[in-house]
Amino acid sequence: MEFEASFLDQVVQAVCEAGRIIVQNNDKPRSIRYKGRNDLVTDTDIAVEEDLKARLSRLLPESSFLAEETSGSAFLGDLTWVIDPVDGTTNFAHGLPMVATSVGLWSKGQIVLGVVNLPLLGEVFSAALGKGAWMNGESIRVSETRDLDQALIATGFPYAIEENIDEVLAQLRAVLPATRGVRRPGAAALDLAYVACGRYDGFYERGLNSWDTSAGVLLVGEAGGNVSRYDGSPYALGDADIMASNGHVHAGLQELVARGVS
């Protein structure tokens, strides 16, 4: 399905308008409930998701939703918005600004539009399939770093950390001494956007959901990067693990991460 350039602008505007809820609620007390020991949801998550669904429905009345808080068990249809209203809810609950809203549009087998908004950091990333990627309206590209020892890598930890602790630590033991460093902001959509704009040279994580990665995967691809699974096979939404990079360090990072895969 082809979309006019102005349509992406409308989607960006809708996502940014919903992001104002995060900004407005940032200094207010949080109402927190638990989906799991480390898996939080706040009233802000719900409010942003409902606001986005209303706005995006007006843009594409025929579309459906796969959204973390209110329709997380839905299926991808011919035209589906894939939404994470507040990626980094734990950060938000603790007053940290590394919070993202991720919106991807799935159309007949692929993500064709993606927006990652960082409302507390004042940055919005967008991409359209075959058209490129942007941050605050300016074109972005992945980094040119070619040597792993000069590469800054990001990662994340799965909610089921007890079940994955040995693998997580083994991977860190392999990646940390071989690179310039490892960062863990706690929001995968932000991590992928940072790979797309060249701040990170690579990223890997296990246990993510479709709404965590839908927009970010398109951002990285349109910015000239590489996205795969740990073993190098193509990544599909919902896969158990993901690796993204500038392309130059992909094989080396893949080799390092493989040392920790059980």
Side-chain angles (χ1 to χ4, degrees):
M1 187 172 184
E2 292 289 333
F3 295 96
E4 298 292 334
S6 60
F7 183 75
L8 179 58
D9 293 337
Q10 291 176 292
V11 176
V12 169
Q13 182 178 359
V15 175
C16 289
E17 289 289 340
R20 293 182 182 181
I21 297 172
I22 297 173
V23 175
Q24 291 167 356
N25 290 352
N26 190 44
D27 294 324
K28 298 178 181 178
R30 274 56 160 172
S31 176
I32 300 170
R33 62 181 176 84
Y34 294 84
K35 295 184 286 184
R37 186 176 70 84
N38 296 318
D39 192 0
L40 314 182
V41 61
T42 70
D43 289 348
T44 299
D45 294 70
I46 304 299
V48 172
E49 186 162 301
E50 294 289 4
D51 188 84
L52 279 170
K53 290 171 74 172
R55 293 178 186 277
L56 297 173
S57 289
R58 290 194 289 270
L59 292 179
L60 278 180
E62 67 273 32
S63 60
S64 61
F65 292 93
L66 173 60
E68 180 177 11
E69 306 303 344
T70 61
S71 50
S73 59
F75 296 98
L76 291 168
D78 286 343
L79 201 59
T80 304
W81 296 103
V82 186
I83 298 173
D84 190 341
V86 183
D87 187 20
T89 298
T90 300
N91 288 344
F92 182 72
H94 287 265
L96 297 173
M98 293 81 77
V99 173
T101 296
S102 175
V103 174
L105 179 59
W106 174 274
S107 178
K108 298 181 180 179
Q110 58 188 339
I111 294 292
V112 296
L113 296 176
V115 178
V116 172
N117 184 31
L118 311 179
L120 301 178
L121 297 173
E123 295 178 337
V124 58
F125 299 79
S126 60
L129 184 64
K131 305 294 184 182
W134 302 270
M135 182 185 77
N136 290 352
E138 299 293 328
S139 180
I140 56 174
R141 294 289 296 177
V142 294
S143 72
E144 291 295 331
T145 304
R146 295 177 179 272
D147 298 322
L148 269 175
D149 61 359
Q150 298 176 23
L152 187 63
I153 305 300
T155 191
F157 305 147
Y159 287 125
I161 191 63
E162 296 91 346
E163 301 170 18
N164 295 277
I165 188 66
D166 291 338
E167 178 177 297
V168 167
L169 293 178
Q171 288 167 348
L172 285 173
R173 277 194 295 269
V175 175
L176 268 172
T179 63
R180 182 161 284 174
V182 176
R183 300 292 181 264
R184 197 269 177 173
L190 178 151
D191 292 327
L192 288 164
Y194 279 14
V195 172
C197 73
R199 292 173 179 165
Y200 294 148
D201 304 298
F203 163 73
Y204 69 93
E205 186 168 352
R206 177 182 293 280
L208 295 173
N209 294 295
S210 299
W211 46 78
D212 298 307
T213 63
S214 63
V217 164
L218 184 63
L219 281 168
V220 173
E222 289 298 316
N226 189 6
V227 180
S228 74
R229 297 196 63 184
Y230 284 0
D231 62 6
S233 61
Y235 173 79
L237 290 187
D239 278 347
D241 53 71
I242 184 173
M243 180 176 292
S245 79
N246 63 5
H248 302 303
V249 302
H250 206 87
L253 181 59
Q254 185 181 327
E255 181 181 344
L256 291 173
V257 170
R259 297 178 190 175
V261 176
S262 55

